[in-house]
Amino acid sequence: MQEKDAKIYSIVSKILREERKKKNLKFTIFCYENDIATSVLNTIEKGDTKTYFSNIARVVKALGLSFEEFGKMLDEELGKDFSLIDM
């Protein structure tokens, strides 16, 4: 995985894991209640493997976040200097 890809997945992982924990949602129960495979959420929360955007979107929505909110969080974590140019 390229360095910038790894950074994005790592930050997505951090945001979603922290949001789930902040809402005191237990991993297995969260998966069960939102029809998300535990392996899918585990992959996303580990952040070391690429995953389908549709899976990330399902988790974002299940957490009650809008894509705008999620995008702002992602943008803040990536920082102003992050660029996808030269990926």
Side-chain angles (χ1 to χ4, degrees):
M1 188 179 323
Q2 291 189 4
E3 185 178 331
K4 288 186 179 188
D5 285 343
K7 182 173 182 176
I8 291 171
Y9 281 104
S10 174
I11 291 173
V12 166
S13 164
K14 177 183 175 203
I15 290 168
L16 296 181
R17 184 178 52 254
E18 286 178 357
E19 284 297 308
R20 180 180 60 77
K21 289 183 176 186
K22 188 187 318 180
K23 295 177 181 190
N24 202 28
L25 301 168
K26 303 295 181 199
F27 184 91
T28 305
I29 296 170
F30 176 76
C31 290
Y32 177 76
E33 290 178 344
N34 294 287
D35 197 29
I36 298 169
T38 55
S39 60
V40 168
L41 187 58
N42 187 51
T43 297
I44 292 170
E45 288 195 358
K46 283 176 65 179
D48 59 358
T49 307
K50 290 185 180 185
T51 188
Y52 292 108
F53 178 76
S54 59
N55 290 332
I56 293 171
R58 288 182 72 196
V59 174
V60 168
K61 285 300 194 181
L63 288 169
L65 297 171
S66 70
F67 290 109
E68 182 178 3
E69 292 169 316
F70 177 66
K72 285 180 182 178
M73 290 177 198
L74 185 59
D75 202 34
E76 286 175 17
E77 288 287 332
L78 287 172
K80 293 179 182 179
D81 296 335
F82 184 82
S83 173
L84 294 175
I85 297 172
D86 299 326
M87 264 188 91

